[in-house]
Amino acid sequence: MTNIILPLSYLIGSITFILGLKMLSHPDSARRGNLVAAAGMTIAILATIFLYTDEAGNRLGNYGWIFGGLIIGSIVGTLAAKKVQMTAMPEMVSLFNGMGGACAMLISIIEFKHHTTGISPELYEEAGTTIFTIIPGTLFITIILGMVIGSVSFAGSIIAWGKLNGKIKDFSFNGQHIINLLLLGVITVLTIYIVAARPAITITLFYTVLALSLVYGILFVFPIGGADMPVVISLLNSFTGVAAAFGGFLYNNPVMLTGGILVGSAGTILTILMCKAMNRSLKNVLIGSFGGKKVSSGASGTKEQGNYKEISLNDTAVLMAYAQKVMIIPGYGLAVAQAQHACHELEKLLNDKGVEVFYGIHPVAGRMPGHMNVLLAEADVPYEKLLEMEDANDQMGSVNVVMILGANDVVNPAAKDDPGSPIYGMPILEVEKAEHVIVNKRSMKPGYAGIENELFFRPKTSMLFGDAKKVLQDLVSELKQM
Amino acid sequence: MNFITQLFTDPATYRLLTIVVLSVFLGIEVISRVPSVLHTPLMSGANAIHGVVIIGAIIVMGQAPADDYLALILGFLAVILGTLNVVGGFVVTDRMLEMFDKKKKKRS
């Protein structure tokens, strides 16, 4: 009987992954979907530990090490995931993704070491090329591909993580794309060469490919602008899925295979969906018109910027208090300042004064799609106050005051009327249909994508400088005195 | 070429190949229509699922010879990293989705 439990557990695991992904794509079942997948994973892991046998029928050993690793990983993982602030979640996902990639990379390294132990240069002299042919071709390819994809994903995710939390700045140099392509070419050629020819320096070449893959992962993410990180993380996510699937090939393990490939294909589709939400193509993101330097392309770069006008806190408070309808447009600045609670307080206060307050949510405001919804939900902002972009734009005509809190690119009119702009074609919140536009920013610096925003210089717009949290708290106290 | 032929002639490999092809289509089908608010949680959930690579790490660890310290240490690292991916991934996803739950209760 025991010999059917392991395959059965793997089958259950595969089914829960499919169900989990399916449920995760509907709002009502999403949370349960996550738990279902987690349960399936637990079953598959436990069954592997206690029931896995190799071809000779040997059970796994080293239980101390296995459980030690599981316990350390679980404690650290849970703490990190629980402690992380809402705003830093995108980074966290990227970091966890990198861990998965590193895991796949290590598995390949160990397997390679295992299959080549005892092969010394002297032995090679004696036996010639045949010595490395003890590794079957399919196995060898699987090991190398798992390592290459795993390490690209690992290195790339770490860079993406660093970029999101501001530790790593955008960096690109001329001809970077050519160098990246060259690197990829060298990795491919070396891989084919090792597998086909099995030269005396097979071991050295293997580790060279490892090093080159890590470098490629770094260079691949480096030139991509910070605003595009969600797309990149999603892409790297599907890479790790594929790396996990190679592990499935390696161990003839169906659950690793289904899990990995599912994530690989679903992740790719998700990446494309994310690009669509921003109305851009994946190629555009990867080759990067956002890539740091070429930002002021087209008309916007040459146009006179003119003057902007500032507005005082007091005037803002008056304007809002006597408005009928106020629309708040949150962006990453709100998340950075952790101002969601202050924002909710302002909204309640205005409500008490008989002002209708809504939030206009752009699908890609913040660092990740849905970022703003999550952030405002944390401050207990009622669900029905959050308007999706289309609804918000429909209502914009009757809005008296639009308050933009740390959002920039999602309200940039260049997306509508400047074909030279890198964000041209992206749907935006059309704030200019409203009576007044108040923009809260810390300074006049351009947004994360590095694009000038003409909105700030338009006659309807007034600037209210300062940290979002501080400004909102001051506004609240101003309003209380009125 | 040997490699390609083996994919189709060896029954075990061919079975795996079939799983791969079917899973690709399944993955595409399963999430073809997702509201944009769920993009981030879905990505995070998928991130946790590819943590299934932990099973490979457990196998590698369990098969490492007791006197091969390099293999033991690397395997141990792999188990820790894989667990981080799985546990952290699922917990972070749950936290994101908890927010949606709260919202729904408020609405009803």
Side-chain angles (χ1 to χ4, degrees), chain A residues 357-440:
Chain A
V357 186
F358 289 103
Y359 293 85
I361 310 286
H362 191 280
V364 294
R367 284 291 190 274
M368 294 199 139
H371 198 169
M372 291 301 123
N373 302 64
V374 171
L375 191 73
L376 291 172
E378 195 204 18
D380 289 327
V381 173
Y383 186 80
E384 62 271 20
K385 288 206 175 282
L386 309 184
L387 298 182
E388 299 216 353
M389 185 171 58
E390 286 82 20
D391 297 340
N393 279 339
D394 285 346
Q395 300 219 11
M396 204 64 87
S398 60
V399 170
N400 305 105
V401 181
V402 166
M403 178 87 178
I404 299 172
L405 295 169
N408 191 341
D409 298 327
V410 297
V411 292
N412 192 338
K416 279 187 75 177
D417 46 44
D418 178 7
S421 168
I423 57 167
Y424 181 69
M426 179 173 93
I428 54 162
L429 284 157
E430 291 154 5
V431 291
E432 284 187 287
K433 284 199 224 150
E435 238 173 274
H436 295 280
V437 179
I438 299 172
V439 179
N440 167 242

Side-chain angles (χ1 to χ4, degrees), chain A residues 296-312:
Chain A
S296 54
S297 55
S300 59
T302 52
K303 219 178 265 173
E304 272 293 308
Q305 290 293 15
N307 294 318
Y308 56 87
K309 61 174 184 290
E310 274 192 63
I311 186 169
S312 70

Side-chain angles (χ1 to χ4, degrees), chain A residues 66-112:
Chain A
I66 294 180
F67 282 107
L70 283 174
I71 291 168
I72 294 176
S74 302
I75 293 175
V76 176
T78 311
L79 283 182
K82 288 258 180 207
K83 283 260 168 68
V84 65
Q85 285 182 333
M86 251 11 230
T87 44
M89 281 206 182
E91 283 123 272
M92 209 68 222
V93 174
S94 183
L95 197 58
F96 288 142
N97 182 45
M99 301 295 110
C103 182
M105 174 183 86
L106 285 175
I107 292 172
S108 284
I109 294 175
I110 301 168
E111 281 296 327
F112 177 76

Side-chain angles (χ1 to χ4, degrees), chain A residues 3 14 89 120-121 138-139 142 147 170 179 192 207 212 232 266 285 318 320 335 341 348 372 396 414 420 442:
Chain A
N3 57 353
S14 299
M89 281 206 182
S120 61
T138 334
L139 181 76
T142 312
M147 177 201 63
D170 290 3
I179 291 186
I192 295 172
Y207 290 110
L212 289 179
V232 175
V285 170
V318 173
M320 288 181 113
H341 293 283
K348 278 191 296 190
M372 291 301 123
M396 204 64 87
R442 272 177 298 186

Side-chain angles (χ1 to χ4, degrees), chain A residues 99 128 196 220 238 248-249 252 286 347-349 367 389 402 408 435 469:
Chain A
M99 301 295 110
F220 169 68
S238 52
F249 253 114
N252 213 333
L286 294 183
E347 164 222 317
K348 278 191 296 190
L349 203 61
R367 284 291 190 274
M389 185 171 58
V402 166
N408 191 341
E435 238 173 274
K469 190 173 187 175

Side-chain angles (χ1 to χ4, degrees), chain A residues 10 17-18 21-22 24-28 30-31 34-35 37-38 41 44-45 48-49 52 54 60-62 65-66 68-70 72-74 76-78 81-86 89 92-93 96-97 99-100 102-104 106-107 109-111 113 138 141 230 233-234 237 240-241 244 248-249 251-263 265-266 269-270 273-274 277 363 368-370 373-374 377-378 380-381 383-384 386, chain B residues 2-4 6-7 10 12-108:
Chain A
Y10 284 163
F17 292 164
I18 299 167
L21 275 181
K22 181 88 198 153
L24 269 167
S25 41
H26 297 283
D28 294 334
R31 198 171 179 198
N34 185 50
L35 294 179
M41 183 75 79
I45 290 175
T48 307
I49 296 176
Y52 182 88
D54 63 9
L60 294 177
N62 302 322
W65 291 84
I66 294 180
L70 283 174
I72 294 176
S74 302
V76 176
T78 311
K82 288 258 180 207
K83 283 260 168 68
V84 65
Q85 285 182 333
M86 251 11 230
M89 281 206 182
M92 209 68 222
V93 174
F96 288 142
N97 182 45
M99 301 295 110
C103 182
L106 285 175
I107 292 172
I109 294 175
I110 301 168
E111 281 296 327
K113 245 180 58 56
T138 334
I141 289 185
I233 296 175
S234 176
N237 197 23
T240 314
F249 253 114
Y251 298 112
N252 213 333
N253 186 307
V255 75
M256 284 175 81
L257 204 59
T258 37
I261 294 290
L262 267 179
V263 174
S265 73
I269 293 298
L270 186 60
L273 285 178
M274 281 184 178
M368 294 199 139
N373 302 64
V374 171
E378 195 204 18
D380 289 327
V381 173
Y383 186 80
E384 62 271 20
L386 309 184
Chain B
N2 200 3
F3 167 68
I4 311 268
Q6 205 201 331
L7 271 182
D10 177 48
T13 330
Y14 183 68
R15 207 181 59 222
L16 294 180
L17 184 69
T18 313
I19 298 180
V20 168
V21 175
L22 295 181
S23 301
V24 167
F25 283 100
L26 200 55
I28 295 171
E29 273 311 304
V30 155
I31 63 147
S32 53
R33 275 215 315 275
V34 191
S36 62
V37 276
L38 280 177
H39 284 175
T40 305
L42 180 61
M43 170 166 112
S44 179
N47 173 49
I49 290 176
H50 70 49
V52 72
V53 71
I54 176 73
I55 288 180
I58 291 172
I59 295 174
V60 142
M61 181 83 255
Q63 289 177 342
D67 55 350
D68 185 349
Y69 287 103
L70 189 58
L72 284 175
I73 289 167
L74 288 181
F76 185 60
L77 256 179
V79 173
I80 293 180
L81 293 176
T83 318
L84 273 174
N85 187 180
V86 172
V87 177
F90 280 123
V91 175
V92 149
T93 313
D94 190 61
R95 263 191 72 192
M96 286 183 195
L97 293 168
E98 194 183 12
M99 303 296 172
F100 287 87
D101 261 13
K102 242 206 277 182
K103 258 186 338 194
K104 259 185 287 150
K105 273 184 211 119
K106 284 264 153 62
R107 187 169 42 168
S108 52

